[in-house]
Amino acid sequence: MADNYSSYKKRDDICDDVCGQEVSRISRMKCMMKSVDLRTVLILFVIIPIGFLGIYFHGQKVTYFLRPIWQSPPKPFIQIPHYYHENVSMATLCKLHDWKVRKYPRRVFDAVLFNNEIDMLMIRWKELYPYITQFVLLESNSTFTGIPKPHFFAINQDRFEFVKPRLTYATIAGGSRKGQNPFYEEAYQRVAVDRLLRIAGIEDDDLLIMSDVDEIPSAHTINLLRWCDGPPPIMHLHLKNFLYSFEFNVEHKSWRASIHRYEKSKTRYAHYRQTDYLFADSGWHCSFCFRKISDFVFKMKAYSHSDRIRFAHYLEPKRIQKVICNGDDLYDMLPEEYSFREIIGNMGPIPRSFSAVHLPVHLLENVDEYKYLLPGNCVRESG
């Protein structure tokens, strides 16, 4: 045993001597490998590269999954119950809400920023038309992200002849803040809506609907609020939340739409939380509800969250079509929730709904034209 030990020792000493001399490249590699064990190799050349790749491709998912650790949930809303039936009188409906019926209804103004949602705009305006005093629409020649675009409403204005006597429409030059955060451009355009509302003739105590085109209050909601005295001066509207069509009903709620009793020196057109009051079951929010795949691509590039396009293949038409029919997320993101239970519970495709009950009236009266928005019709036009 002693002789064997001496033999190995001499070999190590020889190698140490060789490593200290000018030797061939192969000999040098052998000497380096002598001091590196298998565990180190695995860490350096397998585990660490895989970790970097995982962070690159799925880092956003990790961040969203850990949201309950780094972000607290928002303050809960004060829920206001919503009573309605078509055969119940307005006086009774106001009374059910502990409000009083008015002798005459308030005027109502509906103001939107418009991008390219022609079908949604038609469905919205047809739904609200009987109760709106003035429609207000502002359109830019570029998106919030600075992409030039046509004036889509102006191009399609012949479809909207029915609102022209009650329409205040204007265009605005966009892109002046190119390279800045898209939310600056959005805020700039919303300030312009304030000026347009004054041109439209809004006055104190009129009602003002603040919502995106695809956030559609129901007609009976607006009629109730214009006839009743007693609602809070500002209320957010709880809308049933849909994605891609009225087939995919998203679990988490849509609340950003709001209705205001206008005050000239105080009311500002905005799209963030402005009150704690939330009026239940007030309409529909149909996000990314487009007829053509090209409209999906345009919207993904155009809106304020365009930074979610982390990889070019997100914009491939075949992928987008597959995502729509599966009810998956266009950006391959996890649900934006504030507890691990809600995140895990809402992971995966959105469950399909086969109900077409209580949807906007114009949609149901024109099923052939808007078939793509109804259950079982997920395939989109490519153009």
Side-chain angles (χ1 to χ4, degrees), residues 183-252:
F183 290 100
Y184 285 109
E185 179 70 27
E186 182 177 350
Y188 167 73
Q189 292 189 27
R190 293 190 186 281
V191 170
V193 174
D194 286 327
R195 296 195 292 269
L196 195 59
L197 281 164
R198 292 193 288 272
I199 293 172
I202 196 167
E203 297 177 356
D204 286 350
D205 207 42
D206 290 337
L207 292 181
L208 170 60
I209 303 170
M210 297 185 191
S211 68
D212 287 348
V213 171
D214 57 8
E215 297 169 336
I216 306 173
S218 61
H220 70 79
T221 296
I222 300 307
N223 194 34
L224 174 73
L225 295 176
R226 76 190 190 117
W227 270 106
C228 297
D229 269 333
I234 304 173
M235 286 196 303
H236 283 287
L237 303 178
H238 170 211
L239 308 178
K240 291 180 180 178
N241 204 13
F242 297 89
L243 189 63
Y244 311 139
S245 71
F246 291 97
E247 179 173 2
F248 295 104
N249 193 343
V250 186
E251 285 287 334
H252 47 277

Side-chain angles (χ1 to χ4, degrees), residues 105-153:
R106 284 189 174 86
R107 301 196 310 166
V108 184
F109 287 69
D110 179 45
V112 294
L113 289 174
F114 186 72
N115 188 28
N116 67 328
E117 311 95 330
I118 290 293
D119 284 356
M120 280 293 109
L121 183 66
M122 178 66 76
I123 292 170
R124 177 194 185 93
W125 281 359
K126 286 287 187 177
E127 177 73 18
L128 297 176
Y129 181 79
Y131 309 120
I132 301 300
T133 305
Q134 195 75 7
F135 295 94
V136 176
L137 185 144
L138 180 70
E139 183 172 27
S140 175
N141 62 355
S142 71
T143 69
F144 293 154
T145 54
I147 301 173
K149 73 174 188 68
H151 290 136
F152 287 108
F153 179 79

